[in-house]
Amino acid sequence: MEGRRERKKAALRQHISDVATGLFVARGFDQVSVSEIAEAADVARPTVFAHFPRKEDLLFDQYPETEAEFVGAVLDRADGISAVRAIADRALFLASQESPPFLVRLRQEPFFRLVAESRALQARAREMAEQLEDAVAMAMEATGVRQPRLVAALTAAAYRTAHLQSVRRVLAGHDPVDHVFRVQAALRVVEQAVDNDPAFVG
């Protein structure tokens, strides 16, 4: 069970991120300094960096939980369930809980607009995507998936393609109500390819 100290630390981290996000939305990511964020959050500048090593991570504050969910889906899957199917099932469940990283909606337009308008945020997003793929590949390798690096790359590419299609719709002013279906369909293609190719199962 999470102790009081951990809860206070998590609450402070969330507070700093919320303040930063509000400033970014109001003024733009590149126009806001870490010092301004610290002042607005009523914390010292080093405190900000203690929780977020990079400025970009203030906006992508949910990445650690996202990685943990993907890796956990692979490591904790039941016998007979493929790694790709486990990820698809976890993504579907979290979308049903309206977890922001797994459910894209029109109301998230300010967030996606920030990323679209900042090269620094786009670069960090690509780095995190590569980091996530690597973490999933290691989990697949640890649980006996054949060609884990390739399967992880295919899974990540399918998920990212579906996600970006929904993001583009949001930026165009449309609510991607079919986002979950799009993600599931993309991952199903990977799952079927992996299950039916002797290179993966033989």
Side-chain angles (χ1 to χ4, degrees):
M1 181 178 293
E2 189 177 45
R4 181 182 179 186
R5 182 177 180 182
E6 288 72 25
R7 290 196 300 271
K8 289 180 66 176
K9 183 178 180 180
L12 178 58
R13 184 178 189 275
Q14 188 63 58
H15 168 66
I16 295 171
S17 175
D18 289 345
V19 169
T21 300
L23 290 173
F24 294 152
V25 170
R27 295 167 48 195
F29 178 80
D30 298 321
Q31 283 66 51
V32 178
S33 69
V34 174
S35 295
E36 290 174 311
I37 293 167
E39 182 177 358
D42 195 25
V43 298
R45 193 170 187 271
T47 300
V48 176
F49 284 115
H51 290 273
F52 301 95
R54 297 172 59 169
K55 178 185 171 184
E56 293 81 6
D57 295 340
L58 284 155
L59 190 69
F60 296 126
D61 62 300
Q62 294 180 319
Y63 173 78
E65 291 79 7
T66 302
E67 180 181 304
E69 291 289 356
F70 273 100
V71 170
V74 175
L75 295 178
D76 301 336
R77 71 187 189 276
D79 292 342
I81 301 297
S82 72
V84 181
R85 171 46 46 191
I87 289 174
D89 289 346
R90 185 70 62 92
L92 180 62
F93 170 75
L94 291 167
S96 73
Q97 302 298 305
E98 300 205 1
S99 176
F102 298 91
L103 186 66
V104 178
R105 285 291 181 264
L106 186 58
R107 62 178 178 271
Q108 296 167 286
E109 189 272 343
F111 173 88
F112 295 126
R113 185 71 60 188
L114 275 173
V115 178
E117 294 176 349
S118 171
R119 290 187 177 181
L121 287 173
Q122 292 172 34
R124 182 58 178 145
R126 287 191 292 270
E127 289 176 355
M128 290 189 301
E130 293 173 358
Q131 182 178 333
L132 178 59
E133 180 183 319
D134 190 55
V136 168
M138 289 190 291
M140 288 183 175
E141 183 175 14
T143 54
V145 175
R146 287 180 60 86
Q147 301 196 42
R149 293 283 168 180
L150 179 55
V151 177
L154 292 171
T155 303
Y159 191 93
R160 185 165 54 249
T161 297
H163 180 81
L164 289 177
Q165 286 178 321
S166 294
V167 169
R168 292 189 186 100
R169 293 191 66 183
V170 168
L171 293 176
H174 305 294
D175 199 343
V177 293
D178 60 344
H179 173 70
V180 174
F181 171 80
R182 193 190 306 275
V183 169
Q184 294 294 308
L187 292 178
R188 193 177 305 117
V189 170
V190 176
E191 182 185 20
Q192 291 173 348
V194 170
D195 287 348
N196 295 326
D197 192 323
F200 293 107
V201 299

